[in-house]
Amino acid sequence: MSREVRVRFAPSPTGPLHIGGVRTALYNYLFAKKMGGKFLLRIEDTDQGRFVPGAEGYIQESLEWLGIAPEESPWNPGIVGPYRQSERKEMYKQYALDLIEKGHAYYAFDTAEELEAMRERLTAARVVQPQYNGITRTQMKNSLTLPAEEVKARLESGDPYVIQVKIPLKEDVRLNDMIRGWVMVHSSTLDDKVLMKSDGMPTYHLANIVDDHLMGITHVIRGEEWLPSAPLHVLLYQFFGWEDTMPQFAHLPLLLKPDGNGKLSKRDGDKLGFPVFPLNWTDPYSGEKSHGFREQGYLPDAFLNFLAFLGWNPGDDREIFSLDELVDAFSIDRIGKSGTKFDIAKAKWYNEQYLRTKPDSVLVEFLTASAQMENVEIPLEKAFAIVALVRDRVTFPAELWKESRFVMVAPTEFDQDVAAKRWNRDAVKVLASYAGALDGFTGPFDAANAKSLLESTAEAEGIKLGKVMQAIRLAVTGMGGGPDLMEVFAILGPAEVAKRIRFALETLTKVD
């Protein structure tokens, strides 16, 4: 192809952007970058009745968070704007009228009652799919059946009408999809879709084709749900005489529920406890709140890597890819035809891998930010020590503080289940002796010295250290499990460890 590759992501501002839409945007972005082309964003807001305030800003913020912002968009316009269909309204009618003049569309004056009566007649005649098509249009009130004088009079008097496409009666419509190969549909199965509504706004089908043509779109990469509309779109390109510049189509497989039974929905996420939107969203009408991946602690690069593999694979066993590496490896022919199950466990795995590759300085920022939310300030040296202690135990940034909070905030309560099982006379004897030994300790208090002193204390008491180790952890951290205890002691220092031990000895139930 000699033309510059130009792809577009064309969401409707009807609510939060579903992750299926984010994946569509990502694949468009990757393809454009791989081919040295341009990635555009067009807001398809022809259905004003479904417009939701804040949705467009949500789309923009989502793509910017992920680092896949388009080069041309409503907020960064190029030379083929406007980039909102509602701002292009006036241009569409001339194209609809052009189709009428060429004999590929017509005015339809049918009322809602007449349309319903038509459907009832067809249903009574046992027609499987009652629709306005090449057969039924001959029995309806339109410019194909009415005298030209009456059509002119109706238009001049302001009678409401729509403009519908005139589908050929007997024609094979072929489409070479980049993912699915050749798709063929007989025109007798297609209905005469409305192109221009009675309010003067175009439908998706007309606006989509006109805009893609005028914006120089070379490839249309979109969801599988648009595959049934593709034959109509091919016909429209033919009717306009734009076959030579018709874009190539690629219809992406669906994102499925975790069990594979049906398309992934918000309801599935709510039921199973995971988000299906990139960012938090509050419905401006109902106030209903929906969780987002960003606010739940997913890193944008990890989230992109996860999304890329929901339908695509590189052809080998590699799983970790930076955005640049995804661009280099991406190809449409590696996208599968079948739907892909959504696996939240895999999303968490990706997040964990990416979090562990972050430098300590970044993790320190995550840690200190979470601590500050509880008005806890962590000295920088101690923050780096804490990060080294827990970095391999976390999946999300907030867990750095959750897993280490006990270091900065001494426990005032203790795990009662562990206490019931492990707090005994031997534990008390070792802890009391160890606290005394810590009082007189001098020299560097690293993990090795902390452990050596504890072992010698237990030996002096004639008690095996393994039998009381969990009770010792309980006394200092309040919990029965956690990171390496001797490393914890080294961070706390001998005075703090002794202080915590004595508080536990005073607080926990006395034993005989």
Side-chain angles (χ1 to χ4, degrees):
M1 177 176 287
S2 59
R3 292 189 295 160
E4 176 191 48
V5 167
R6 290 172 65 84
V7 300
R8 87 306 193 265
F9 176 51
S12 297
T14 56
L17 181 62
H18 188 276
I19 59 170
V22 180
R23 185 193 63 169
T24 298
L26 173 61
Y27 284 0
N28 274 277
Y29 176 93
L30 295 176
F31 184 75
K33 296 302 179 185
K34 178 67 177 285
M35 303 301 292
K38 294 288 194 304
F39 171 49
L40 288 67
L41 183 139
R42 183 176 69 231
I43 295 294
E44 301 205 334
D45 57 350
T46 56
D47 190 346
Q48 291 291 292
R50 298 180 63 217
F51 175 80
V52 175
E56 182 180 316
Y58 182 94
I59 293 167
Q60 178 183 0
E61 186 178 354
S62 297
L63 299 185
E64 289 178 350
W65 171 60
L66 292 168
I68 55 172
E71 285 129 309
E72 299 176 29
S73 66
W75 46 89
N76 185 35
I79 61 173
V80 296
Y83 292 81
R84 295 183 186 89
Q85 286 185 335
S86 60
E87 297 173 3
R88 303 168 67 89
K89 174 181 175 180
E90 300 306 320
M91 72 173 67
Y92 298 118
K93 188 169 184 178
Q94 69 185 66
Y95 289 97
L97 295 177
D98 180 52
L99 290 180
I100 291 177
E101 186 176 334
K102 292 177 177 177
H104 296 305
Y106 57 90
Y107 297 104
F109 301 98
D110 312 282
T111 65
E113 292 76 18
E114 289 167 337
L115 291 171
E116 181 58 31
M118 178 265 289
R119 285 187 284 267
E120 290 176 356
R121 287 196 308 272
L122 294 176
T123 301
R126 297 185 179 179
V127 174
V128 177
Q129 280 189 305
Q131 57 187 13
Y132 206 125
N133 59 20
I135 302 298
T136 56
R137 67 188 177 216
T138 62
Q139 306 158 17
M140 302 302 290
K141 194 183 298 181
N142 54 59
S143 58
L144 301 177
T145 61
L146 298 174
E149 296 79 8
E150 183 177 346
V151 172
K152 181 180 178 182
R154 283 176 173 272
L155 294 175
E156 290 177 349
S157 65
D159 283 11
Y161 66 86
V162 297
I163 297 177
Q164 297 184 187
V165 66
K166 184 183 177 184
I167 296 293
L169 284 175
K170 297 179 180 180
E171 186 173 316
D172 288 332
V173 185
R174 296 174 179 270
L175 165 69
N176 190 7
D177 189 272
M178 296 174 71
I179 295 173
R180 300 163 193 282
W182 282 102
V183 177
M184 187 179 74
V185 174
H186 196 270
S187 63
S188 61
T189 65
L190 305 177
D191 60 330
D192 291 1
K193 294 289 188 189
V194 173
L195 301 178
M196 185 70 67
K197 295 178 285 188
S198 58
D199 62 1
M201 289 294 286
T203 61
Y204 169 83
H205 304 291
L206 177 64
N208 179 274
I209 298 306
V210 170
D211 288 344
D212 282 350
H213 174 72
L214 295 179
M215 291 180 167
I217 300 303
T218 60
H219 297 77
V220 171
I221 304 170
R222 61 187 180 185
E224 178 184 300
E225 62 269 24
W226 293 110
L227 185 59
S229 299
L232 168 60
H233 298 170
V234 170
L235 286 174
L236 287 173
Y237 277 103
Q238 295 174 1
F239 295 162
F240 281 121
W242 299 336
E243 299 101 316
D244 291 344
T245 58
M246 183 176 73
Q248 293 181 258
F249 292 92
H251 289 90
L252 305 174
L254 294 175
L255 283 188
L256 304 177
K257 302 177 183 183
D259 63 6
N261 294 320
K263 185 177 178 181
L264 180 69
S265 69
K266 176 183 179 299
R267 186 178 297 107
D268 299 314
D270 291 342
K271 181 179 178 182
L272 298 173
F274 58 79
V276 297
F277 303 129
L279 318 176
N280 279 357
W281 167 260
T282 301
D283 188 286
Y285 301 119
S286 67
E288 180 185 4
K289 298 181 185 298
S290 300
H291 296 297
F293 280 88
R294 181 180 68 181
E295 288 77 10
Q296 290 209 351
Y298 287 86
L299 304 173
D301 43 3
F303 184 57
L304 277 183
N305 198 157
F306 165 67
L307 272 187
F309 275 72
L310 291 179
W312 171 85
N313 73 82
D316 53 41
D317 59 0
R318 291 176 296 163
E319 292 187 281
I320 304 298
F321 286 78
S322 68
L323 184 55
D324 287 342
E325 290 168 340
L326 284 173
V327 169
D328 290 340
F330 189 77
S331 63
I332 294 289
D333 59 6
R334 297 300 309 176
I335 297 175
K337 300 177 184 178
S338 302
T340 303
K341 294 179 183 179
F342 183 82
D343 183 359
I344 193 63
K346 194 66 175 182
K348 292 178 179 179
W349 179 84
Y350 270 109
N351 213 61
E352 189 174 277
Q353 304 310 306
Y354 273 80
L355 193 59
R356 289 181 181 180
T357 64
K358 297 294 182 187
D360 285 352
S361 58
V362 172
L363 300 189
V364 163
E365 290 179 9
F366 289 144
L367 172 66
T368 55
S370 294
Q372 286 168 0
M373 292 178 67
E374 293 189 35
N375 297 316
V376 176
E377 295 291 335
I378 307 178
L380 190 59
E381 184 178 351
K382 182 171 286 190
F384 273 94
I386 291 173
V387 162
L389 180 70
V390 299
R391 64 173 300 143
D392 292 334
R393 299 175 58 85
V394 301
T395 301
F396 300 105
E399 292 177 352
L400 289 162
W401 173 241
K402 183 180 178 181
E403 288 287 324
S404 64
R405 184 181 183 276
F406 68 86
V407 175
M408 299 303 300
V409 182
T412 56
E413 297 180 347
F414 301 89
D415 187 316
Q416 291 303 308
D417 289 338
V418 175
K421 296 176 181 177
R422 301 298 182 187
W423 192 257
N424 53 44
R425 183 170 52 192
D426 286 347
V428 169
K429 287 176 64 177
V430 171
L431 281 164
S433 296
Y434 190 54
L438 290 171
D439 289 338
F441 185 86
T442 58
F445 191 67
D446 56 20
N449 286 336
K451 183 177 182 181
S452 176
L453 181 62
L454 182 59
E455 288 174 338
S456 62
T457 300
E459 185 178 355
E461 294 291 342
I463 297 170
K464 291 184 177 180
L465 186 58
K467 291 185 176 182
V468 296
M469 200 65 189
Q470 195 171 25
I472 295 170
R473 179 183 293 276
L474 178 70
V476 177
T477 70
M479 303 176 292
D484 186 284
L485 189 58
M486 296 303 104
E487 295 291 349
V488 172
F489 283 10
I491 295 172
L492 291 175
E496 178 64 18
V497 174
K499 179 181 176 183
R500 292 188 180 197
I501 288 173
R502 291 193 171 99
F503 178 80
L505 292 172
E506 295 171 1
T507 304
L508 286 166
T509 303
K510 303 297 182 182
V511 293
D512 295 331

